[in-house]
């Protein structure tokens, strides 16, 4: 009897302390680290099934925490996806969804960007006493009306500290790579310029030889117009490396153009320094990797070390960086007080190739990739969470979740209140991550390509089915290739897409690869499901309010008066980091 009493007392005590410890941990405000990769495919890391690339640090996060298998980006390209991540709202609500072919910001000197009236999670955490920092990629705009108003800058959106690229990596940032920015348009502009030059030379030669008679004044005017045309476009596209490939610390430019060989080491140093400075917390650190976007610049230490060429080398270097930042956390004794998250902004870039070499990611069993608003490969991404002692270890959750869910999740952890004057599309994941609920709060998820609705997902909770209806799909090139090779990314509208009426329907719980569309003949619930989704689309569209389009042609064009410059424009060059390359 005494043994039973002892055992009961011990169990009661253990249960009490577990509950008390969990409650105490939840009551305190955790530090928060958000890792977001750029263009990483869900099939590129070990914990999601890749056994040929080495990603031990990301895999460790999955073992020690919770892994989501149906984690969905709100857009298949970086600018709109990151806008949704930061605001918890579909990008069409903030004007960050495009109705033209330019679906991401093109220049640091554009006037478009995340609007000032959008409230990021960083701003809400600031209000809860958090020190907030962003290390890495921004790609949400810089200026509105002058080169120094910084209306779209991270510091104007709730971040206390920023070190990184206000733009995104491009091939143009590396001198030995072919240009990547608007290649098709540049080719046309070069052709028009050459035609003008040829016309001037022909007219001049004809006039000199007497074959034609035309006043020299006309030829001179034609030459001046042609020169102005050339200068107007070459002044932007001819100097992309100087205009777009820059590093900033807060509002100051530190490198213009940036030196890629030392960027990774600088980012690590900045992340470690931020953690150390704010070790007494609470802090929010958003580590927005430049990896694994082209040009895939990889330090010598990792070159040639993977089984998948330069892309694999870049993935493994990024994983190593994750490990070094986690080491900094451990060094300060903060591991058990920190909520950590790892994801990618969208799927891998299938069309990124150099000859036969693949320069983009692998999306596992999922069809499509970057730029494709409906197909799973463009929007299904890794999602891993850890918080020792609060979140369970080694748990896998198959429920539909979204990158937009990070917004209400971190606001809840910080003790904040969500904005009540706008629609927040994300849902707090804490109950799901802790196992206190078994079902995601999402019933419908809407999959946009730019401002065009391409597909809708319905989580039928009573049956466990995950229905997905495709209204629009891209036309693959060449046919059956699974991507739009030769086009950069697949288009959202026009001749490059196919409209489906009735929509293509899949049950992702049975067919996650979207290989076998269902029909009224093969699926008894076909008509019911299509009608249910159509009603959800109508209700969703009633919640949309017209807003200025931040990615309009005017907003995305290069404007010299908005160009961030660390010298006297146009002589923009500086290296405030010094000439000594930091070794890894």
């Amino acid at each position: 009897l005494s043994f039973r009493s002892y055992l009961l007392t011990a169990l009661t005590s253990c249960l009490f302390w577990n509950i008390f410890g969990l409650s105490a941990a939840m009551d305190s405000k955790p530090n928060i680290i958000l890792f977001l990769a750029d263009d990483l495919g869900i099939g590129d890391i070990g914990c999601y099934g890749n056994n040929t690339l080495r990603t031990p640090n990301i895999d460790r996060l999955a073992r020690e925490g919770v892994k989501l298998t149906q984690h969905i980006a709100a857009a298949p390209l970086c600018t709109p996806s990151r806008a949704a991540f930061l605001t918890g709202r579909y990008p069409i609500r903030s004007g960050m969804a495009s109705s033209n072919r330019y679906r991401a910001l093109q220049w640091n000197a554009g006037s478009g960007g995340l609007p000032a009236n959008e409230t990021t999670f960083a701003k809400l955490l600031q209000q809860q006493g958090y020190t907030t920092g962003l290390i890495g990629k921004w790609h949400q705009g810089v200026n509105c009306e002058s080169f120094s108003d910084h209306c779209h800058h991270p510091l104007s959106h709730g971040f206390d500290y920023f070190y990184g690229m206000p733009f995104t990596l491009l091939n143009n940032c590396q001198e030995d790579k072919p240009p990547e920015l608007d290649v098709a348009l540049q080719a046309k502009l070069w052709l028009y310029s050459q035609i003008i030059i040829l016309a001037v030379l022909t007219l001049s030669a004809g006039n000199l030889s007497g074959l034609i008679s035309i006043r020299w004044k006309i030829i001179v005017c034609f030459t001046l117009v042609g020169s102005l045309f050339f200068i107007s476009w070459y002044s932007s596209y001819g100097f992309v490396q100087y205009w777009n490939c820059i590093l900033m610390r807060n509002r100051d430019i530190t490198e213009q153009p940036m030196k890629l060989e030392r960027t990774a080491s600088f980012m690590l140093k900045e992340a470690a320094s931020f953690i150390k400075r704010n070790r007494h917390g609470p802090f929010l650190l958003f580590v927005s990797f430049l990896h694994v976007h082209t040009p895939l610049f990889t330090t010598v230490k990792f070159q040639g070390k993977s089984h998948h060429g330069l892309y694999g080398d870049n993935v493994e270097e990024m994983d190593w960086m994750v490990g070094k930042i986690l080491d900094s956390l451990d060094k300060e004794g903060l591991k058990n007080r920190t909520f950590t998250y790892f994801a990618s902004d969208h799927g891998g870039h299938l069309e990124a190739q150099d000859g036969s070499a693949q320069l983009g990611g692998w999306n596992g069993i999922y069809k499509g990739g970057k730029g494709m608003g409906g197909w799973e490969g463009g929007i299904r991404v890794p999602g891993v969470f850890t918080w020792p002692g609060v979140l369970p270890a080694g748990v896998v959750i198959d429920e539909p979740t979204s990158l937009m869910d990070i917004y209400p999740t971190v606001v809840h952890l910080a003790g904040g209140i969500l904005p009540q004057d706008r629609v927040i599309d994300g849902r707090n994941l804490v109950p799901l991550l802790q196992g206190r609920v078994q079902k995601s709060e999402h019933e419908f998820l809407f999959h946009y390509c730019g401002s065009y609705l391409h597909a809708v997902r319905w989580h039928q909770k009573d049956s466990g089915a995950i229905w997905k209806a495709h209204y629009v799909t891209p036309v693959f090139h060449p046919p059956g290739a699974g991507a739009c090779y030769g086009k950069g990314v697949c288009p959202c509208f026009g001749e490059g897409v196919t409209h489906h009426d009735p929509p293509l329907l899949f049950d992702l719980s049975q067919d996650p690869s979207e290989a076998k569309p269902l029909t009224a003949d093969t699926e008894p619930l076909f008509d019911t499901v299509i009608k249910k989704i159509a009603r959800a689309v109508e209700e969703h569209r009633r919640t949309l309010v017209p807003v200025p389009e931040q990615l309009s042609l005017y907003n995305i064009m290069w404007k010299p008066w908005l160009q961030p410059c660390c010298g006297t424009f146009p002589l923009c060059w500086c290296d405030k980091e010094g000439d000594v390359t930091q070794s890894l």
Side-chain angles (χ1 to χ4, degrees), residues 99-122:
S99 60
N100 60 65
R101 71 183 186 89
Y102 294 100
R103 292 151 57 194
L105 294 173
Q106 302 291 299
W107 301 96
N108 279 325
S111 53
L114 192 63
N117 62 357
E118 287 294 325
T119 304
T120 67
F121 56 68

Side-chain angles (χ1 to χ4, degrees), residues 435-456:
R436 290 188 280 122
V437 300
Q438 302 303 312
K439 297 292 183 182
S440 163
E441 287 189 39
H442 290 289
E443 183 177 11
F444 296 96
L445 286 171
F446 302 92
H447 306 308
Y448 281 90
C449 186
S451 61
Y452 302 90
L453 185 65
H454 274 206
V456 179

Side-chain angles (χ1 to χ4, degrees), residues 201-215:
L201 292 176
T202 302
L203 290 174
S204 299
N207 218 25
L208 288 170
S209 64
L211 294 176
I212 58 175
S213 177
I214 188 171
R215 296 173 62 184

Side-chain angles (χ1 to χ4, degrees), residues 92 236 472:
I92 196 167
S236 56
V472 184

